[in-house]
């Protein structure tokens, strides 16, 4: 994408004669790159290489080429691809003010948020119905009511100056835009699902899952059926960085996934690029919560027949800032693992572990299945790449030889207690059947369906 977008820009800018076939070849290579990374026209624009790989290629190369190419020949317009229009929206949908600006990421696990021109180009490319929400969040992040940088990384401010709509678009809270809410689930693209409670400040909560519908491409890591959680000013659940650094001859990031492992994650692993799938369509509620169910025949680190059901709930009835339910079944997922960044601490008791961020926010994970015999192992591992400036992850994992698990996680601000959680039912096997209670909220899990009341 970068190479052929750059070649195309140079052809367009050159004083030398350029053939139509030269430009057409550049355009076809760029559109091939976009389709490979973003998926087909039904995609919601989430990038298979992670959000970090929207900023650099799109802001510096592909986006400018698309604008210039359309001026030269209106028939070659990358903005005619729906997935391109949506990918500019996706960088705003998951963007958080926490820790100076971060987002959940998978393929490259790069949480940095330098727009490099992509934020400003969004006003040129993104669908009109989403522009009020983009204007709202751009201004609060980088505009007059934000840090005032106006997307200036690598000179990207040019695109803000050219395309920011100013008073012609009235900013609207993204939570009030139905099309925004709908796009947070991507059941026909790459398989990301975003559950977000607000676009307000550093305390916004995001939970993101990845079904990995199209397998591994580019920098994509072993993330099928994995999740990320950020909230209350902290990064709680993270991945392991990118490829490069190794332990025992294998990339270190393989070992730092929030998923099921067939062996201790620090032992020899078997990696693959398999794709997962949704077993029922993901649900996004009006308040940003919802549920998903997904499966993969053999996970990217070798667990067989892994099925994961996930629910995010932002209802005050939970008596927590957020509640997350993870129900897993598998053939041989002997270890359930959770990873966070090193500045966070991890403590545990007989049935739960708690992640505490430097600001005092906590995530408490209570194990409801298996009901007994849970032993937590904690430790520190190097990341494949830094999380901002953080070089290491902390991890916690525990086992069940049957490969089935039920874990409830709750988020709370500093000093606030976590609600009581409980469950009854049958949680072993491929089709769990039972009820979970978090605070005053009751959930029913039947097979892959999760409902709340």
């Amino acid at each position: 994408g970068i190479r052929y977008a750059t070649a195309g820009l140079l052809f367009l800018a050159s004083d030398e004669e350029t053939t139509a076939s030269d430009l057409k070849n550049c355009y076809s290579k760029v559109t091939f790159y976009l389709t490979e990374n973003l998926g087909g026209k039904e995609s919601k624009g989430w990038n298979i290489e992670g959000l970090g790989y929207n900023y650099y290629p799109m802001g510096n190369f592909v986006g400018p080429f698309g604008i210039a190419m359309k001026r030269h020949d209106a028939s070659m317009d990358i903005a005619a691809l729906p997935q391109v229009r949506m990918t500019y929206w996706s960088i705003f949908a998951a963007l958080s003010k926490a820790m100076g600006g971060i987002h959940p990421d998978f393929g490259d696990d790069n949480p940095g948020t330098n727009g490099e021109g992509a934020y400003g180009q969004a006003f040129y490319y993104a669908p009109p119905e989403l522009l009020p929400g983009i204007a709202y969040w751009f201004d609060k992040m980088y505009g007059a009511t934000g840090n005032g940088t106006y997307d200036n990384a690598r000179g990207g401010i040019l695109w803000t100056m050219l395309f920011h709509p100013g008073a012609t678009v009235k900013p609207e809270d993204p939570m009030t835009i139905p099309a925004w809410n709908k796009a947070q689930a991507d059941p026909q693209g790459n398989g990301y699902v975003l559950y977000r409670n607000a676009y307000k400040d550093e305390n916004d909560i995001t939970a993101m899952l990845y079904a990995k519908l199209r397998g591994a491409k580019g920098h994509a890591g072993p993330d099928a059926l994995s999740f990320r959680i950020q909230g209350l000013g902290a990064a709680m659940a993270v991945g392991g960085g990118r490829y490069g650094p190794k332990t025992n001859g294998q990339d270190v990031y393989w070992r730092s996934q929030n998923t099921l492992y067939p062996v201790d994650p620090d032992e020899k692993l078997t990696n693959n690029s398999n794709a997962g799938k949704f077993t029922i369509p993901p649900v996004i509620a009006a308040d940003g919560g919802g549920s998903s169910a997904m499966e993969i025949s053999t996970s990217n680190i070798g667990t067989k027949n892994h099925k994961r059901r996930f629910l995010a709930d932002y209802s005050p009835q939970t008596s927590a800032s957020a509640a997350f339910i993870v129900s897993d079944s598998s053939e041989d997922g002997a270890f359930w693992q959770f990873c966070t960044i090193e500045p966070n601490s991890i403590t545990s008791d007989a049935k739960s572990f708690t992640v505490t961020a430097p600001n005092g926010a906590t995530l408490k994970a209570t194990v409801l299945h298996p009901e007994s015999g849970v032993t937590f192992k904690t430790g520190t591992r190097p990341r494949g790449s830094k999380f901002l400036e953080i070089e290491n992850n902390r991890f916690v994992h525990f086992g069940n030889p049957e490969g089935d698990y039920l874990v409830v996680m709750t988020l709370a601000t500093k000093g606030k207690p976590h609600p009581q959680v409980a469950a009854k039912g049958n949680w072993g096997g491929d089709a769990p059947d039972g009820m979970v209670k978090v605070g005053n909220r009751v959930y029913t899990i039947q097979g892959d369906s999760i409902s709340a009341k």
Side-chain angles (χ1 to χ4, degrees), residues 23 72 79 96 104 117 132 174-175 180 195 201 229 234 262 294 330 340 371 399 420 424:
L23 284 170
H72 176 77
S96 170
M175 297 295 292
W180 190 292
Y195 296 110
D201 55 29
I229 297 174
M294 50 190 73
S330 71
T340 192
E371 295 182 15
Q420 289 187 334
K424 60 180 181 179

Side-chain angles (χ1 to χ4, degrees), residues 253-395:
Y253 74 93
W254 294 6
R255 311 186 188 284
S256 288
Q257 306 299 320
N258 303 306
T259 190
L260 303 187
Y261 284 78
V263 297
D264 185 307
D266 288 311
E267 295 181 8
K268 190 75 172 180
L269 301 173
T270 302
N271 190 31
N272 63 64
S273 59
N274 292 347
K277 66 179 182 180
F278 290 105
T279 59
I280 58 175
V283 174
I284 307 287
D287 68 354
S291 60
S292 298
M294 50 190 73
E295 67 181 3
I296 188 168
S297 58
T298 301
S299 78
N300 302 138
I301 41 77
T303 301
K304 296 178 181 177
N305 298 320
H306 182 194
K307 182 177 287 187
R308 169 160 281 176
R309 308 148 200 93
F310 186 97
L311 179 138
D313 192 351
Y314 301 121
S315 167
Q317 291 179 283
T318 65
S319 299
S321 296
F324 307 102
I325 298 176
V326 184
S327 168
D328 288 300
S329 57
S330 71
E331 188 174 322
D332 60 354
F335 294 86
W336 193 103
Q337 180 169 259
F338 181 99
C339 297
T340 192
I341 49 177
E342 188 176 36
N344 300 340
S345 64
I346 302 176
T347 57
S348 63
D349 56 27
K351 290 291 294 181
S352 68
F353 65 85
T354 300
V355 179
T356 303
N359 67 3
T362 55
L363 179 145
K364 182 178 181 180
T366 303
V367 180
L368 299 175
H369 184 83
E371 295 182 15
S372 61
V374 175
T375 300
F376 296 106
K377 178 181 177 180
T378 61
T380 302
R381 296 194 192 99
R383 293 177 53 82
S385 56
K386 294 180 181 180
F387 188 100
L388 303 179
E389 296 303 316
I390 299 162
E391 296 183 350
N392 296 314
N393 274 356
R394 296 192 192 277
F395 70 86

Side-chain angles (χ1 to χ4, degrees), residues 242-255 382-384:
R242 67 181 294 176
Y243 61 87
K246 300 182 186 301
T247 54
N248 299 327
Q250 296 183 317
D251 286 307
V252 297
Y253 74 93
W254 294 6
R255 311 186 188 284
R383 293 177 53 82

